[in-house]
Structure formats: C-alpha cells, structure tokens
Amino acid sequence: MHLHDVWFVLIAFLWTGYFFLEGFDFGIGVLTKLLARDRSERRVLINTIGPVWDGNEVWLLSAAGATFAAFPDWYATLFSGFYLPMLLILLCLIVRGVAFEYRHKRDEERWQNNWEHAIFWTSLLPAVLWGVAFGNIVRGVKIDAHKNYVGSLLDLLNPYAILGGLVTLALFTFHGAVFASLKTVGGIRERARVTASFLGMIAAGLALVFMVWTQIDKGDGKSLVALVVAAAALLAALVANALGREGWSFTFSGVTIAALVAMLFLTLFPNVMPSSLNESWNLTVSNSSSSSYTLKIMTWGAGFAAPLVMLYQGWTYWVFRKRIGTQHIADAH
C-alpha cells in the first residue's frame, strides 16, 4: 500500500471521528428547540455538550489540515468549488461557538433567546450542508482537465446531494437524542428516548434510500458490506433505545454514522473527487497527492500526535461522564 492510500484511509478516519462526535452535538443543538420545554431544559441540553463541543471540532481541523497537506489538489478543488457552502459552514461554526460562550453573559431574556436561536440554526445548517457536500463529492462534480471546478452553485443542489443533507440531519439529530437520553435524568431523559424512536424511524427511511442509491450508482462488494453494517447498526440502535439501553443505543447510532461514512469513502476510492465531465479528469489519490517525502514526514508526525489527542479527548469524556438534570441548573445567572 502506498502512502497516499494510507493518508486517504486516515482522512476517512478523521471525517468519521468528526461526524461521530460533532454529529451528536449538532443534534443537541437542533433538539434545544424540539425537545426542551423551557430555558432550564435547554440549559441542561447545552451543558451535556458544554465540556466537549470544542474538542469535537478538532477532528474537522485535523481532517481539513490533513487534506491540505496530503492532497493539495483535492483541497484546492474542493474548497474553491464549494466555496459558498464551506463559507456558510465556517460562519455557522464561528457563530455557534460565540453563542455557547455568550448566551449566559447577560440575564436579559431577549439576549439569551437570540443566542439560543443562533445555537439551533448554526447546528441545523451544518448538519445539512455536510451531507450535501459529501453527496456531491461521491456523485461527482464538473471538474475540467486542469483540476478546476467549472460548475455553479445550483449544480450542487441536485436530488442526490439534497437527500444526503437530509440523511445527515436526521442521523445527527437521532444521534443527539440518544446522547441526550444517555446524559440526562428525569423527564427530559424519557422524552429524549421517545424523540429518538421517532427520529430514528425517519433517519432509517432516508438513509436506506440514500445508501441503496449510492450502492446502485457507485458501489461494489466492500461498500455493500458497509451498507449492511449501517442498516443493522441503526436497527440495533432503535431496539436498544426502546429497551432503555441508552449506552448501547448510542454506540450503535455511532456505528451507523461510521459505516455510512465508510461506505462513501469506499465508493470514492481510488478517486478523491470524480469529474462528471470526463472520467480521465477525476482527481485520484495518486494524481492529487503530495510527494512521498512529504507524506512520510506527515506519517511520523501523525503517529506521534494523533494518540495524544485521542487520549486527552477520551479523558475529557471520562471526567464529564455523569448525567445531569434541571436540579443541577442554578436558578440564578
């Protein structure tokens, strides 16, 4: 296996980690309007991800940085061609971080309501846009012989990509509801389980159509295995949720997301960004990668840094593992 193949796998792993972790905190952000009944319950939901949401975004920075260093042509084509959607995602992530930090800085109801609205919308929009982006990457976009994207914004809004956006929104919100049931106590925990059952059924329907479409259009034997794993894991997550086994339900919902991401990357390889104009213009792991020396240096650096990052992030989740409820929320500011 060549180093550029190794780095393709590593980038797939980073995106899997990002969607697994950021997926549930996007879901929590959406659920602040769908699940919480009052400000105390919204504070409970936000506090479940308060210690970890910013650490989850490290995976995005790592994935983007690894793509820039290992596959500069892929990075250039992707971020120039998808400039407006990526800019919108970036703005959402910036506003979302500010909203988490500023929401409690003043006591005024209007101030807090505005920031809570911001948390909802800046969680919902990226959850959709990431699915649209990856749907287009897998489907193929208009790339010319010079590795430039020559399509328009409207070309990105095709039925397959839009379905991908709905799938990620539904899966992330389901993942968030399961996480909420795992991390809370009292009435909000019970409602989270009921909400997870409802959202899981919607996610199952959308994801099944999307995965079958992907398999028929781009798939092979390996992607079929990933499809089966994703479908089985989602069913197991729903069953575990119905039985009140929140830990297992969260594990299986995470496996669903991981298997779906794996399926998308398996259908891509050895391409990293197919051209819908001419197959000979596809960006591949070989024609868009950095030099072997660069990849070798990156491999040594990643081998040292990645385990440390995973250890400290795992420690963070362990420290903040206990459940919380409205009784843990102070009445005063």
Side-chain angles (χ1 to χ4, degrees):
M1 179 181 285
H2 297 287
L3 279 179
H4 51 63
D5 297 331
V6 172
W7 273 96
F8 180 84
V9 174
L10 289 175
I11 289 171
F13 173 75
L14 291 170
W15 280 111
T16 301
Y18 175 66
F19 288 139
F20 179 96
L21 297 171
E22 191 86 313
F24 70 74
D25 70 44
F26 282 149
I28 290 292
V30 174
L31 290 169
T32 56
K33 295 296 183 183
L34 303 182
L35 180 61
R37 290 179 173 176
D38 53 35
R39 173 153 293 117
S40 293
E41 291 192 348
R42 282 193 290 275
R43 290 174 65 187
V44 169
L45 289 176
I46 292 171
N47 286 354
T48 62
I49 60 172
V52 298
W53 68 267
D54 48 355
N56 294 344
E57 292 186 354
V58 170
W59 290 79
L60 172 61
L61 299 176
S62 300
T67 303
F68 171 77
F71 300 100
D73 289 335
W74 182 15
Y75 180 91
T77 304
L78 175 63
F79 282 85
S80 60
F82 293 16
Y83 181 80
L84 288 177
M86 291 297 181
L87 178 61
L88 183 55
I89 290 173
L90 178 60
L91 289 174
C92 284
L93 295 180
I94 292 171
V95 173
R96 188 167 179 265
V98 173
F100 282 134
E101 299 299 331
Y102 275 53
R103 178 186 56 85
H104 62 279
K105 296 297 185 182
R106 290 169 58 178
D107 293 328
E108 289 88 344
E109 183 175 352
R110 182 177 179 183
W111 171 273
Q112 296 192 5
N113 281 336
N114 286 339
W115 287 119
E116 287 167 1
H117 288 313
I119 290 171
F120 171 77
W121 287 108
T122 56
S123 298
L124 185 147
L125 288 175
V128 174
L129 290 173
W130 281 126
V132 172
F134 272 84
N136 277 294
I137 292 172
V138 171
R139 174 179 176 268
V141 292
K142 294 180 178 179
I143 300 173
D144 65 14
H146 304 290
K147 302 180 181 179
N148 295 320
Y149 176 73
V150 294
S152 66
L153 179 62
L154 291 179
D155 291 326
L156 302 179
L157 301 178
N158 54 80
Y160 177 79
I162 292 173
L163 176 59
L166 295 176
V167 169
T168 50
L169 174 62
L171 277 178
F172 291 170
T173 310
F174 168 65
H175 197 38
V178 174
F179 182 77
S181 68
L182 178 65
K183 290 289 292 180
T184 59
V185 294
I188 193 169
R189 175 188 179 187
E190 298 303 320
R191 294 201 311 278
R193 285 175 53 195
V194 174
T195 303
S197 296
F198 174 72
L199 291 171
M201 296 300 294
I202 295 176
L206 291 171
L208 183 61
V209 173
F210 180 74
M211 290 190 295
V212 170
W213 189 345
T214 304
Q215 180 63 29
I216 292 174
D217 192 39
K218 302 280 186 179
D220 56 14
K222 294 178 181 178
S223 61
L224 180 60
V225 172
L227 187 158
V228 172
V229 171
L234 184 52
L235 177 60
L238 286 168
V239 172
N241 179 72
L243 296 175
R245 304 297 297 271
E246 290 118 341
W248 282 110
S249 183
F250 179 72
T251 299
F252 284 123
S253 67
V255 171
T256 303
I257 293 173
L260 175 59
V261 176
M263 181 184 183
L264 296 180
F265 276 92
L266 285 169
T267 58
L268 267 179
F269 187 81
N271 298 315
V272 294
M273 217 171 164
S275 171
S276 60
L277 300 178
N278 190 324
E279 287 188 2
S280 64
W281 298 342
N282 290 353
L283 298 185
T284 68
V285 292
S286 57
N287 70 16
S288 61
S289 67
S290 296
S291 66
S292 296
Y293 182 74
T294 300
L295 295 177
K296 185 180 295 185
I297 296 298
M298 289 175 59
T299 303
W300 280 104
F304 173 75
L308 294 178
V309 173
M310 295 177 69
L311 281 173
Y312 85 68
Q313 193 165 25
W315 177 78
T316 302
Y317 277 92
W318 175 256
V319 169
F320 295 100
R321 66 189 182 278
K322 292 186 177 180
R323 295 177 182 268
I324 61 172
T326 53
Q327 66 269 31
H328 301 115
I329 302 298
D331 293 332
H333 172 64

